[in-house]
Structures are given as C-alpha cells and as structure tokens.
Amino acid sequence: MFKYCKGDFSMTNSRSSCTTLIVGKKASIDGSIMIARNEDHHDTIDPKIFVVQQASDVANRTYHSVHTGVTVDLPSKAMRCTYVPQADPSVEGEYGQASWNSDNVSISATESVYGNPRVLAYDPLVEDGIAEDALNHIVAPFIHSAREGVEFLGKLIEKYGSAEGNGILFADKDEAWYMEIPCGHHYVAVRIPDDCYAVAPNQVSIEDIDFNDPANYIWSTGIQEFVNEHKLNPDREGFVFRHIFGTSNVKDRVYNTPRAWFIHTYLDEEFYDEPTSPYLPFINKADRLLSVEDVAYCLSSHYNETEFDPIGHMGTEASRKRFRAISLSRTQESHIMQIQPEITNGSQAIQWLSFATNAFTPYVPFFANVNDTPKAYQYSPNKLDTNSAYWLFKLLSYVVESHYDTFADKDNAYLYEMQSYSRKRIAEVRKAVTEQKLTGGALTNYLTEANQVTADYVLTKTRNLLTDLLQQSLSFSKMSFTMDKNL
C-alpha cells in the first residue's frame, strides 16, 4: 500500500480553511443535489454579508483582485448572482464564497488544499494569479452548467495561474462536480456519482483519474505529460491524483483527516477506519438517503458523542483537544446549496445559510431566484451590532458556548424548531407560487419578499433566545453569596 511522504509542509497559503460535503441526487432523500461547505477564517471575527449582484452587460469587462493584483478578462454579459462576501472587501478582497446564478448553477469556493513540494517545484503557485477572493466573482455570473463551470475556470487557471491551492464545488439540476487546483496551472475535476456523497477536509482528496472517461473527469492540458516528465507518480500503476499532487503529514492527521473520518462514520454505519488514516475515501455511499438536516449536522459537528469533542465530557482533556473540529468559533458562515430537479416552478434552488458558529446557529433557507436579500443580512459593521444578522448569530454562539452545559438544551430546542419551521416555510412558499401561477419578475419579487419574512421570523426567535440566555447568565456571577432575602 502506498505511503505518502512524511514532510511537515506549510499550511499557510490561504486565509481560510473549510470542510466540504457534496451529495448526489440519488443519494438524497428528496432527489436534491447539495454542495455544502463551512467557511472558517483565521480570525474569530470576520464580518460577512449576503447580497445579490444584478445582471449586467459591460463591454471589455475585467475583474481586478485587490488581494493578488491579477486582472482577469471576462465576458461582457453577466447573470444575476448571490454572494456571501466580506462586509469590507477593501483590504483582503471580496471572497464571494457561495453563489447561485439566475440559470440555477451554483459554485462554492473554496476548499483550501495543499500541493506537495515535489509538484510545486515544477509548477509553483503564481503570486499574482487567481485566488479565493476572486473565484466566485469571475465564474458564477458566466456559467450555464456545473460542467461548464469547471471548464471555464480551468481555462482561466491555465492562462493566469493559481495563487493558492483550492477546491471548488459546482452544481446544477443534473450534476455535482468537485475541482482541485493544488499548484500553479494543473487541476482535475470529478463528477460526483449520483448515488454517492463526497467529503473534502482541506486536503487534496480526488483519487483515481480515468483519462478514458471525459464525461466524468476533466483535467488540465498536458497533466499526464507533466507528471511523466518530472517522474511525480509514486504508484506503480494508475493515476491517483492525491498521491501525486497531495500531502499526508502530521498536520493532515491532526487538522484534516479526522474531520472526514467523523462524517464518514455518521453517514455510513459500516464505515470503519482510524481518524488519522491516510486512506479515507473521497467518495462513498451512505447507509441511508441523506437529508439537508444530515448535511447540516455534519458541517455543524464537533466530534459529537466521541472522546474528541472539545465541549464534551468523554475521554480526557488531551483527547478533547487532539483534533481540529468541523464547526469552530472562527466559522464565519456555512452554506448548503440545494437544488431539487423535480421542482420546476422557479423555486428549485435554495441557499441555506448559517452565520457564525454553526454548531449553535440555524441554517436559514433562502430562495435563490431573488433580486435582493433580507436587510439584516446585508448589514455587518466592524463593531458588534445586533441589527446585523452576522453579529446577532456571533453573539448567540459566544453566549451558548460560554455556558454550554447549561444552555445546550435550550439552544438545541431552538435549532430543532428552526429546522421544522424551515421545511414548513419552503413548502408554503412553493405552494403559493404554484397556486398563484407566478412567473418571471412577479415570481422573483414574491420570493424576495418571502425571504424577508423568513429572515424576520428567525431573527426574532434568535433575539428572544439570546435575551433569555443573557438574563439567565446574570445569575452565574462568582461575585454572589447566599443571603437572607430580608437583608
């Protein structure tokens, strides 16, 4: 069995680190395709907003990255898109993160990945190339299918180069694709089988590449010749991308592979391997049909009910600190991009969005066919302000974690209530769309207003919970003493 090289390679080529989960349409309970990812920043506070960028037609369109300095030539016609960017893009860049365009094609970018030193010696990262900050903005408005998204971005990477290692998720009503760019100009992408799910935890994850199956695999120009010329393939046969381009080192075994292990053990009861194994699969079959709640649970988990849970009571203090959890205090947002092919009334695409530490905050469903987003989701100043959805959920996360044993039951009850409300809300909106026979601009306006109603309800429930928890917290002071009520 192949053993990876053991070097302790740097993991600092990106501003963020994430966890990815993709579900094929025959692997889901309702025929949905879902691409989902946590966005974890290196800082605890990194204000995010949720916005819509309108369609436009601009001659000689270019995109300039304030992060790397690259200027990318783009098509003149851009479709309407959703984004979850930085509230202040002036310093680090925009980082659009998660998008649906008006053709119901989604992109989530990025999952940070890391090429090994052998590969980077011959195809180094391009300092002024394309990075995470630009990816959604230079791809989402211009693609009409998931496959076209891979091909479109692949051409840009070959032309401008990549400034960092990245994994990118794509979905449409028919397919889900995952693309990995671990070095300057080479990449591969794989179509996720309809009856499978896939997990990526900040490692090069794609395995065997079948160059005789271009329907299910896409690769950079000359990648086989590149590998052969520089003698990069450690296997005696085959082309296992993560063996050739990826890493397997002590940081992976603490920071990355345990996250994939936990998701596999939750989704596949027959799965058995060690959390530090370098042989965990990228693509697997679940023991059941998966729901959006399953995806949310995985991305909001922290080794729940295991000795590795940092806020649990099993194991030892050392075991609870051993591995990096999936949901973190520095998780800024998490999204589940869901599309149900059987829905044909214009409401099939949903962007589930959870701000702050998603272990404690709900995923809120927003229809993607809209021309605006809820006001509280557009406002995220640098200082705490509970009129902002980001800051409200950030504060709730802190309060719950600070007294987790006391507040866990109330928070979990709130999360379950929001799950039920979300399903009910989606159904009633879709029913109204069908009954009113809404189409075109009328449909888009209705879904925009429906999203605002959804947000208002969830934010009100959140404020009520936060008020309750804060009032209860006042009794926890150590500056107290048992007193006679008459004194």
Side-chain angles (χ1 to χ4, degrees):
M1 194 174 259
F2 170 76
K3 302 292 184 185
Y4 290 109
C5 53
K6 304 294 183 183
D8 185 16
F9 309 134
S10 172
M11 299 182 71
T12 60
N13 73 325
S14 176
R15 69 186 288 277
S16 62
S17 53
C18 313
T19 307
T20 282
L21 178 56
I22 303 173
V23 178
K25 59 188 176 184
K26 292 183 180 179
S28 69
I29 198 169
D30 57 2
S32 293
I33 293 174
M34 291 177 277
I35 60 173
R37 185 174 58 86
N38 285 1
E39 180 195 356
D40 307 319
H41 194 258
H42 50 62
D43 294 327
T44 304
I45 297 171
D46 184 43
K48 304 291 296 184
I49 55 177
F50 176 40
V51 297
V52 172
Q53 180 173 288
Q54 300 301 326
S56 62
D57 191 344
V58 178
N60 302 313
R61 183 192 298 271
T62 62
Y63 182 93
H64 179 74
S65 166
V66 300
H67 177 52
T68 69
V70 68
T71 298
V72 180
D73 295 325
L74 294 170
S76 59
K77 292 184 178 180
M79 286 179 280
R80 185 192 69 219
C81 289
T82 62
Y83 296 103
V84 190
Q86 300 297 99
D88 179 7
S90 62
V91 178
E92 290 188 317
E94 293 191 274
Y95 292 89
Q97 294 299 328
S99 301
W100 279 111
N101 69 25
S102 54
D103 262 10
N104 289 326
V105 181
S106 181
I107 172 174
S108 172
T110 69
E111 180 74 27
S112 300
V113 301
Y114 303 88
N116 64 56
R118 297 188 305 273
V119 167
L120 293 175
Y122 302 110
D123 186 19
L125 298 169
V126 179
E127 186 175 350
D128 59 350
I130 293 170
E132 179 181 353
D133 68 300
L135 278 168
N136 278 68
H137 302 274
I138 64 174
V139 177
F142 309 106
I143 59 175
H144 305 278
S145 70
R147 182 185 181 91
E148 184 184 346
V150 174
E151 295 170 339
F152 184 89
L153 178 55
K155 291 177 182 177
L156 294 179
I157 294 300
E158 291 186 21
K159 179 178 180 180
Y160 296 98
S162 181
E164 58 197 17
N166 283 314
I168 302 94
L169 301 68
F170 298 89
D172 59 29
K173 66 181 179 62
D174 297 313
E175 300 179 327
W177 284 78
Y178 183 65
M179 178 183 191
E180 288 184 326
I181 311 164
C183 50
H185 301 86
H186 284 293
Y187 59 86
V188 298
V190 58
R191 181 185 182 277
I192 307 304
D194 291 342
D195 60 349
C196 293
Y197 70 88
V199 183
N202 291 133
Q203 280 182 289
V204 174
S205 298
I206 295 176
E207 299 179 90
D208 299 87
I209 303 299
D210 185 351
F211 292 101
N212 294 314
D213 185 9
N216 293 297
Y217 298 89
I218 298 173
W219 54 88
S220 54
T221 303
I223 191 171
Q224 291 175 279
E225 293 79 3
F226 169 77
V227 169
N228 291 336
E229 177 184 355
H230 298 293
K231 303 186 184 330
L232 297 174
N233 191 345
D235 295 332
R236 289 184 172 86
E237 58 183 29
F239 195 101
V240 180
F241 188 71
R242 71 181 184 185
H243 290 184
I244 301 168
F245 286 83
T247 64
S248 181
N249 53 64
V250 64
K251 287 186 176 180
D252 289 320
R253 287 182 280 279
V254 171
Y255 198 83
N256 299 331
T257 58
R259 287 180 278 151
W261 167 83
F262 181 82
I263 292 176
H264 284 307
T265 59
Y266 179 72
L267 298 182
D268 178 8
E269 64 181 4
E270 297 182 354
F271 183 85
Y272 178 78
D273 210 329
E274 296 299 319
T276 57
S277 171
Y279 309 115
L280 301 181
F282 168 53
I283 295 172
N284 194 28
K285 289 188 177 181
D287 60 41
R288 61 194 182 278
L289 295 175
L290 303 180
S291 67
V292 68
E293 289 87 358
D294 286 318
V295 175
Y297 177 83
C298 288
L299 292 185
S300 62
S301 65
H302 38 88
Y303 304 111
N304 309 46
E305 301 180 78
T306 77
E307 63 184 294
F308 309 120
D309 187 346
I311 55 176
H313 297 285
M314 298 175 66
T316 65
E317 183 176 357
S319 71
R320 292 192 291 271
K321 295 180 179 179
R322 184 178 176 187
F323 299 136
R324 184 264 210 217
I326 294 174
S327 180
L328 299 170
S329 62
R330 55 187 179 83
T331 300
Q332 306 304 326
E333 59 88 14
S334 179
H335 51 267
I336 304 170
M337 314 298 275
Q338 179 188 26
I339 185 165
Q340 292 178 261
E342 66 181 37
I343 304 295
T344 58
N345 65 2
S347 66
Q348 56 265 57
I350 295 177
Q351 185 155 348
W352 296 80
L353 187 59
S354 174
F355 274 160
T357 306
N358 53 332
F360 313 125
T361 63
Y363 285 83
V364 183
F366 295 116
F367 291 98
N369 181 12
V370 294
N371 51 36
D372 204 359
T373 57
K375 302 307 179 186
Y377 280 79
Q378 299 178 35
Y379 174 62
S380 193
N382 288 329
K383 299 291 186 179
L384 192 153
D385 185 340
T386 56
N387 291 313
S388 159
Y390 172 86
W391 279 111
L392 181 66
F393 289 121
K394 200 72 175 174
L395 184 58
L396 175 65
S397 300
Y398 171 77
V399 171
V400 174
E401 184 187 351
S402 297
H403 303 288
Y404 183 69
D405 287 345
T406 303
F407 291 158
D409 286 347
K410 285 187 175 180
D411 186 63
N412 286 333
Y414 152 79
L415 294 176
Y416 294 152
E417 181 185 358
M418 293 304 96
Q419 286 181 352
S420 293
Y421 168 76
S422 295
R423 279 190 171 269
K424 178 182 176 181
R425 182 69 180 144
I426 292 169
E428 66 185 20
V429 171
R430 283 177 168 163
K431 181 180 179 182
V433 167
T434 300
E435 289 179 346
Q436 298 179 39
K437 299 180 180 179
L438 296 173
T439 60
L443 170 61
T444 300
N445 290 337
Y446 180 81
L447 294 178
T448 302
E449 294 169 2
N451 282 354
Q452 183 67 58
V453 172
T454 301
D456 289 343
Y457 181 90
V458 173
L459 294 175
T460 297
K461 287 288 185 177
T462 305
R463 289 189 177 96
N464 291 344
L465 173 64
L466 183 58
T467 299
D468 181 22
L469 299 184
L470 286 172
Q471 288 183 181
Q472 189 176 345
S473 299
L474 297 177
S475 65
F476 299 157
S477 173
K478 294 181 180 180
M479 300 293 288
S480 63
F481 200 83
T482 302
M483 300 175 64
D484 187 318
K485 65 180 181 180
N486 295 317
L487 296 179

